């Protein structure tokens, strides 16, 4: 049984603040340990449930956050940026299931550090007309490869989101959202036990199904008109409103590739504190 863990950081135990997840800050150094602890708890549970191979794909920011020296030796770590499938690299390698660990709610939604790809320039993303978090986008990509989402961890809002896009998964809320930058947090001793137990149960749901390739439409709304104008220079991307662009793609893989281009160009068009 081969399992992929897509490990994001905003939904990790204790994380509530920008500096908790921004590389090179003192707080980031602290929360790297807690983040690694969440991953290790998941690895332990998956192996207890019968997994024989666990690949952990770093999915946050620089994608160099987890502490390899502290990682459970039964896992392998895919670290570093510029991976073709980004947060979901490895989903096409024959895995039997994927865990979304440390996930968060999407742009424009309630949740601790809620966003979709860009931290504060995107106000909404829609996949086939449905508001889309990173979890929803990644679940659609997993489905294209016949890979089930087994477990989602994050704050309670991330779990609520996941119940809609992955109704057959398990869910662990490691914190309760109070605001974008505040949460009622359980200590790592508690969240580790919860994650391990849920991961062990989740392993029992592993098993690939036939994949299904289908066309998709994505629309992205920004907080400023010039970002939409910048993104609209991408071939196939059209401006559908003053701050909104949309595009169609023949598969979810192509959809995510185009989405990465759109977000990268928009990020490059942000100018200082005026955005």
């Amino acid at each position: 049984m081969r399992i992929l863990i897509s490990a994001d950081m905003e939904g990790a135990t204790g994380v509530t603040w920008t500096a908790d997840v921004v590389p090179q800050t003192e707080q980031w150094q602290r929360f790297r340990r807690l983040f690694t602890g969440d991953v290790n708890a998941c690895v332990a549970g998956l192996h207890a449930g019968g997994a024989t191979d666990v690949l952990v794909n770093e999915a946050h920011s620089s994608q160099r956050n987890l502490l390899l020296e502290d990682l459970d030796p039964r896992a392998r770590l895919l670290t570093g940026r510029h991976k073709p499938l980004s947060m979901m690299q490895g989903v096409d390698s024959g895995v039997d299931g994927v865990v979304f660990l440390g996930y968060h709610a999407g742009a424009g939604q309630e949740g601790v550090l809620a966003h979709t790809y860009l931290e504060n320039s995107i106000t909404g993303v829609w996949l086939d007309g449905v508001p889309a978090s990173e979890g929803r986008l990644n679940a659609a990509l997993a489905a294209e490869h016949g890979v089930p989402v087994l477990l989602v961890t994050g704050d309670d809002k991330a779990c609520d989101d996941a119940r809609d896009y992955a109704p057959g998964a398990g869910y662990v809320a490691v914190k309760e959202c109070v605001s974008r930058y505040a949460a009622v947090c359980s200590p790592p001793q508690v969240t580790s036990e919860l994650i391990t137990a849920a991961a062990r149960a989740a392993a029992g749901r592993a098993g690939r199904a036939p994949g299904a390739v289908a066309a998709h439409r994505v629309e992205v709304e920004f907080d400023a008109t010039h970002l939409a104008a910048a993104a609209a220079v991408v071939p196939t991307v059209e401006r559908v409103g003053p701050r909104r662009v949309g595009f169609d793609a023949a598969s979810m893989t192509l959809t995510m590739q185009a989405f990465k281009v759109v977000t990268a160009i928009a990020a490059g068009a942000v100018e200082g504190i005026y955005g």
Side-chain angles (χ1 to χ4, degrees):
M1 183 194 303
R2 303 180 61 219
I3 307 297
L4 173 68
I5 299 176
S6 174
D8 206 356
M9 196 171 183
E10 287 89 355
T13 293
V15 167
T16 60
W17 188 39
T18 303
D20 297 346
V21 296
V22 173
Q24 311 310 321
T25 66
E26 181 180 352
Q27 283 294 101
W28 172 73
Q29 292 288 4
R30 173 192 173 202
F31 281 98
R32 294 177 76 190
R33 295 193 297 273
L34 273 68
F35 183 28
T36 305
D38 283 4
V39 168
N40 284 342
C42 186
V43 172
L46 291 172
H47 274 275
T52 56
D53 180 78
V54 178
L55 175 64
V56 182
N57 178 32
E58 289 226 34
H60 174 69
S61 186
S62 65
Q63 300 179 2
R64 296 179 181 274
N65 306 281
L66 291 168
L67 298 171
L68 179 62
E69 59 271 30
D70 293 338
L71 188 68
D72 188 313
R74 293 171 294 184
R76 296 177 296 135
L77 180 64
L78 174 53
T79 185
R81 294 182 63 196
H82 309 304
K83 296 170 289 198
L85 295 179
S86 190
M87 299 178 75
M88 293 295 285
Q89 189 67 33
V91 74
D92 58 347
S93 65
V95 295
D96 301 297
V98 61
V99 172
F100 293 168
L101 184 138
Y103 271 46
H104 50 82
Q109 305 299 314
E110 291 283 349
V112 176
L113 298 178
H115 68 282
T116 305
Y117 269 63
L118 301 186
E119 292 85 351
N120 61 9
S121 299
I122 291 177
T123 59
V125 177
W126 291 262
L127 176 63
D128 301 323
V130 179
S133 61
E134 292 169 10
R136 182 176 294 276
L137 294 171
N138 292 341
L141 183 57
E144 184 165 281
H145 294 278
V147 177
V149 179
L150 305 177
L151 173 66
V152 179
T153 79
D155 73 353
D156 56 321
K157 303 300 185 182
C159 292
D160 289 345
D161 179 46
R163 287 184 177 91
D164 188 55
Y165 68 73
Y171 319 97
V172 175
V174 301
K175 55 200 169 192
E176 180 183 345
C177 175
V178 173
S179 74
R180 182 171 177 80
Y181 299 115
V184 178
C185 299
S186 296
Q189 297 91 332
V190 173
T191 59
S192 289
E193 291 182 2
L194 294 173
I195 292 170
T196 296
R200 180 172 183 169
R205 296 188 286 272
R208 271 174 292 159
V213 176
H216 296 279
R217 179 169 179 83
V218 165
E219 294 194 1
V220 183
E221 188 173 82
F222 299 97
D223 64 357
T225 58
H226 72 287
L227 302 184
V233 305
V234 178
T236 77
V237 176
E238 60 178 336
R239 200 165 176 181
V240 296
R243 295 181 291 108
R244 191 159 172 160
V245 299
F247 61 88
D248 299 285
S251 70
M252 196 61 203
T253 298
L254 292 173
T255 297
M256 290 307 295
Q257 290 173 348
F259 182 65
K260 285 176 61 179
V261 173
V262 166
T263 56
I265 288 181
V270 173
E271 299 286 350
I273 63 173
Y274 283 91

